[in-house]
Amino acid sequence: MRYDKFIDHTDFYFSHVIETEKRTSYKLESHYHNLYEIYLIESGSCNYFIDNKSYKLEVGDIVLIPEGTIHNTEYIDTTHSRILINCSRKYIPSSIIEHLPKLQYLYRNPKIKNEVSELFKKIEQEYINSDSLSEDILKCYTHAFFYLLIRNSETQAEVDSKNKYIETAVTFLQQNFKNDITLTQ
C-alpha cells in the first residue's frame, strides 16, 4: 500500500470544489498532511476512510483530521461540492487543542450547519481577496469555527464508522503484512 504525502507550502490552504460531472466512481489516493484538515461536504455524498475506519458522509458533515493521519476519499456515482481547509496549529485556538480528540473524525450537527456555512464563506472571501491583514483574519475565522464546534459538541449526532468488515480487514493486514497471508485467514 502506498501513501502519498502532500507537500505543504503554507500554513493555510483553502479549496472549494464543485464537481458537476457525474462519474461512476473515483477514489483519491491515501495520503497525509503536515497540516490539520477540515473538510465540509456541501452537496452529494462520499465515503471517507480515516485511521482504519470508513465513514459515509452526508451533506453538512465536517471531517476533522489531525496532522499525519492517513486518509482518503471515495466518491461514488454522484456530483458533489466540498470545501477543504488545511491549516497549521496556529490557526487552532490553544484552548481547543485538548478538546480536538473528541471532535475527530466525523462531526455531524445539523443545528449549526448554517453558521458553519457562513463562516466558510467568510474564510473563502478572505482567502481569495487576501491582503496584509488576511492571516490574522483567517485565524479569527478558524478560531470561531472551532469554538462553534466545541460549544455545540453536546448536540452533535452520534456517528460511528459504517463498515466493521473493512476495519477488521485493514487492522488484520496492518498487523500481519510481513507474514504470508492466505485468503482463509
Side-chain angles (χ1 to χ4, degrees):
M1 190 175 289
R2 189 182 115 229
Y3 297 109
D4 293 327
K5 177 184 176 294
F6 284 0
I7 305 297
D8 302 316
H9 297 288
T10 181
D11 284 339
F12 192 92
Y13 171 78
F14 181 93
S15 172
H16 190 176
V17 174
I18 301 169
E19 185 69 53
T20 57
E21 180 181 324
K22 191 172 186 176
R23 303 181 194 183
T24 53
S25 176
Y26 69 99
K27 184 176 183 177
L28 302 178
E29 291 293 319
S30 294
H31 62 280
Y32 64 94
H33 311 275
N34 285 335
L35 301 173
Y36 199 88
E37 182 168 305
I38 303 164
Y39 177 101
L40 170 70
I41 186 131
E42 295 181 300
S43 67
S45 65
C46 69
N47 295 318
Y48 226 103
F49 188 77
I50 311 161
D51 199 23
N52 298 335
K53 294 185 190 270
S54 177
Y55 300 92
K56 174 79 170 159
L57 270 60
E58 301 172 359
V59 172
D61 283 351
I62 300 166
V63 177
L64 303 163
I65 305 173
E67 312 92 325
T69 303
I70 295 171
H71 60 281
N72 69 42
T73 316
E74 180 180 28
Y75 300 93
I76 301 171
D77 197 28
T78 184
T79 60
H80 67 276
S81 174
R82 67 183 186 266
I83 292 177
L84 173 72
I85 297 172
N86 292 108
C87 62
S88 70
R89 289 279 174 139
K90 74 180 184 181
Y91 289 87
I92 303 171
S94 58
S95 59
I96 294 296
I97 299 294
E98 67 186 68
H99 299 285
L100 287 178
K102 75 176 183 180
L103 292 179
Q104 56 201 35
Y105 298 106
L106 179 56
Y107 187 97
R108 180 177 291 157
N109 193 339
K111 177 183 170 190
I112 62 169
K113 185 177 165 183
N114 292 338
E115 288 177 84
V116 168
S117 180
E118 287 303 314
L119 268 173
F120 278 36
K121 285 178 188 172
K122 290 177 181 179
I123 291 171
E124 183 172 18
Q125 286 307 305
E126 194 60 42
Y127 188 79
I128 292 169
N129 302 311
S130 63
D131 60 22
S132 62
L133 299 175
S134 292
E135 182 177 350
D136 289 334
I137 294 170
L138 287 170
K139 281 182 196 175
C140 288
Y141 288 151
T142 55
H143 283 201
F145 167 75
F146 282 105
Y147 287 130
L148 179 66
L149 296 186
I150 290 297
R151 180 172 273 168
N152 292 281
S153 63
E154 297 301 318
T155 60
Q156 78 177 16
E158 285 293 323
V159 179
D160 197 6
S161 61
K162 298 296 180 199
N163 198 327
K164 300 294 182 197
Y165 295 114
I166 291 175
E167 291 172 30
T168 302
V170 169
T171 300
F172 178 82
L173 290 172
Q174 286 178 333
Q175 293 171 350
N176 297 287
F177 71 95
K178 291 183 179 180
N179 303 329
D180 288 333
I181 300 172
T182 66
L183 185 57
T184 306
Q185 291 174 308

